[in-house]
Amino acid sequence: MAKVPAAAVAAGGLIGGYGVARWNKKRQLGGVVLAAAGATAAQQWRRQAGGKAAGALTVAYVAAFAGSHPLAKKVGAWPSVFGVAGAVALASWAVADRRA
């Protein structure tokens, strides 16, 4: 079975969490997707790059989620979500996935 890179898991969690919340009109379900993907990515980050890097990337993941809200007011919801997801994916690749 092929391993899914943590960058894809994290970006997918941000994009999928927003998508689920928007399409189902249930923010809690989007939050479940966001949290599950974040926890999975954090485990991969810890295994690949250690605890400090995993902590920093987890903070970046949560900050991206929080930062997407004010950014959405300026550029729109989907562009904001894709932008922060791309930033988290790039950080994940640079810190953890590239080493694997």
Side-chain angles (χ1 to χ4, degrees):
M1 179 185 228
K3 183 178 152 213
V4 177
V9 173
L14 289 162
I15 294 167
Y18 176 69
V20 166
R22 181 172 179 141
W23 290 316
N24 288 311
K25 299 193 183 344
K26 293 189 173 138
R27 294 176 70 179
Q28 297 85 351
L29 285 177
V32 169
V33 171
L34 181 79
T40 300
Q43 287 178 339
Q44 286 183 258
W45 292 329
R46 187 181 47 77
R47 278 194 308 270
Q48 292 171 347
K52 281 187 177 184
L57 288 167
T58 301
V59 167
Y61 183 79
V62 173
F65 167 69
S68 70
H69 292 82
L71 182 60
K73 292 178 181 179
K74 296 184 184 299
V75 299
W78 280 112
S80 173
V81 171
F82 286 129
V84 300
V88 168
L90 181 60
S92 176
W93 176 82
V95 173
D97 292 333
R98 159 173 78 146
R99 297 176 184 201

